[in-house]
Amino acid sequence: MSLSSHVQPRLLIAGSSSRGSDQEGSQFLVFFGVIALLFLQPLLPHQHPGHSLSAQTTIFSEDFSDESSGATSGTSVGGTWSTVSIDAGAAGVNTSKFRWTPSGNNNQVEWQSSSIDLSGYGSLNVAFDFTESNNNGDAWITLSNSSISSVAIATDASYSSVFTLSGGNTSTVISILLEQHSGKFVTIDNIIITGVLDVSGCTNASACNYNSAATTDDGSCTLPTGCETCSGATDGTGTVVDNDADNDGVCDADEVTGCTDNTACNYDSDPTTDTDNALCVYPSGCDTCSGETDGTGTVVDGDVDNDGVCDASDLCTNTSACNYDGSLYTNASCVVPTGCDTCSGGALIDGSGDSDSDGICDGNDNCSDTGACNFNDPANEACIFLDPCSCTASWDMVTSTVDTLASVLASKVNVSTGVKLV
């Protein structure tokens, strides 16, 4: 037989892939999970008081426990039910179950709910118990505005299938079509239809306004770019965090602060450099800049002897010269003392040389007379003269003893001249 006009593609629950066999005692518990996404926004719960976005809500149920035996229609929680399109056979409530016993092979009956309000629901879950007296019983479930292909279900298993609702649907009718061989029966029981409200929002977990509860993507996702990051909320309230306050393309964490005054030696010409001219270093006096414009420039000292005369015009920058200080003396070529010479008032003072070439300047030499026995003695003692002189070329005051000297003096003394000590 054909289904009623509202029945579209259906899910088949079959006791066997072959209807010709006649086997006994098979029972199935079938759970149909129907998940479909509509256009509901999170504000819709006022249409269904008490509904939770995160929990299923029972919108229709029937266990036939309050129905009279043989009843072919009745009142359910959330609506009513009825029996339609009956082939030859017996249909109705039997021992708190809806039972179909056909009088011909492959005869069918259709159990049908009243219209169920879908407003605001994003998914429907349909569950019921299915029992048959052999493996040849079949069952289909359809929603009047669903889209699902028929699926054959193997024996002795638990099953889950998905119905997809078309967008904009506001109601549906649940139909369960039963089929069996003559003289056998099938039953259904504990029909429960639950719904989950649709939540519209951003479903991209990489987006800043990602809503982990959203079931329908509404195209509102905002993804971070460049320096941007997300605030971290995952309930749809997340925002984009800028991280480039001056919009120069350099992230705040990577910003460089420097001197942007082009008259400073450490001027940084990079347009992304943040200005802090307290860092600027300027030349003064004879100083100039090294010339870099990337913030690494330095001050070049233009007065190495610090005499106030710039090196470019300073005729003497040797600080060893007597006249190097241009702030005190005439800017002239360097006069550098050598040997025993010294400086005074920017002029060279002759140190009288070292006439005896003993390495001691004459001004400090206690004996510079080359006629003395000890003129070149490093001990720099007063001159010692002997007459007649019997000194060697080098007078060694270290190895000579007082006794030796006295002996020499005693043997060599000239009474007329005596010993001349200078």
Side-chain angles (χ1 to χ4, degrees), residues 55-413:
Q56 294 183 351
T57 300
T58 299
I59 54 180
F60 184 97
S61 66
E62 175 60 69
D63 63 7
F64 303 105
S65 61
D66 294 333
E67 306 293 357
S68 59
S69 180
T72 57
S73 63
T75 301
S76 307
V77 175
T80 60
W81 66 273
S82 60
T83 306
V84 296
S85 305
I86 304 175
D87 282 345
V93 175
N94 186 310
T95 63
S96 298
K97 297 179 180 181
F98 183 84
R99 179 167 173 160
W100 168 238
T101 305
S103 57
N105 286 343
N106 302 327
N107 283 2
Q108 299 175 331
V109 67
E110 183 179 351
W111 178 95
Q112 187 179 95
S113 72
S114 58
S115 179
I116 297 174
D117 183 11
L118 295 180
S119 300
Y121 288 106
S123 66
L124 289 181
N125 296 328
V126 182
F128 64 91
D129 295 335
F130 173 66
T131 304
E132 56 179 339
S133 61
N134 63 354
N135 286 336
N136 295 313
D138 299 324
W140 292 265
I141 181 172
T142 62
L143 276 68
S144 59
N145 49 14
S146 68
S147 175
I148 187 169
S149 299
S150 297
V151 178
I153 305 300
T155 307
D156 298 332
S158 297
Y159 309 99
S160 177
S161 298
V162 176
F163 284 96
T164 300
L165 302 177
S166 302
N169 291 319
T170 58
S171 64
T172 190
V173 172
I174 306 296
S175 297
I176 301 175
L177 183 68
L178 302 175
E179 183 179 88
Q180 182 57 288
H181 282 193
S182 176
K184 307 300 180 181
F185 68 86
V186 291
T187 68
I188 56 173
D189 191 17
N190 297 321
I191 302 169
I192 300 176
I193 302 169
T194 56
V196 176
L197 291 177
D198 181 37
V199 179
S200 183
C202 173
T203 60
N204 186 340
S206 298
C208 290
N209 59 331
Y210 168 61
N211 187 349
S212 59
T215 56
T216 300
D217 196 300
D218 60 1
S220 68
C221 293
T222 303
L223 295 168
T225 60
C227 298
E228 296 172 346
T229 57
C230 295
S231 59
T234 58
D235 60 356
T237 64
T239 57
V240 173
V241 180
D242 185 9
N243 296 322
D244 184 12
D246 56 5
N247 296 317
D248 62 354
V250 178
C251 301
D252 294 341
D254 300 324
E255 288 284 6
V256 175
T257 300
C259 171
T260 58
D261 184 345
N262 61 9
T263 63
C265 288
N266 59 334
Y267 166 60
D268 190 341
S269 61
D270 191 329
T272 65
T273 297
D274 289 344
T275 298
D276 183 358
N277 286 343
L279 301 174
C280 293
V281 178
Y282 298 94
S284 62
C286 298
D287 296 339
T288 57
C289 294
S290 59
E292 295 87 352
T293 59
D294 59 357
T296 63
T298 58
V299 173
V300 178
D301 187 0
D303 182 12
V304 295
D305 58 0
N306 297 315
D307 63 351
V309 180
C310 296
D311 294 341
S313 58
D314 198 346
L315 298 178
C316 180
T317 59
N318 185 347
T319 55
S320 296
C322 294
N323 61 331
Y324 84 89
D325 192 345
S327 65
L328 299 176
Y329 314 118
T330 301
N331 185 20
S333 298
C334 293
V335 177
V336 181
T338 60
C340 294
D341 296 339
T342 59
C343 295
S344 178
L348 182 68
I349 302 299
D350 185 0
S352 300
D354 180 12
S355 58
D356 58 359
S357 301
D358 64 354
I360 302 173
C361 294
D362 291 344
N364 298 319
D365 198 345
N366 290 323
C367 181
S368 60
D369 188 338
T370 57
C373 293
N374 63 331
F375 79 92
N376 61 351
D377 185 357
N380 196 22
E381 300 289 344
C383 290
I384 299 175
F385 296 92
L386 295 178
D387 189 13
C389 185
S390 61
C391 298
T392 61
S394 177
W395 181 263
D396 189 351
M397 291 296 291
V398 176
T399 59
S400 298
T401 65
V402 174
D403 292 340
T404 302
L405 179 61
S407 175
V408 171
L409 290 175
S411 65
K412 299 297 182 178
V413 67

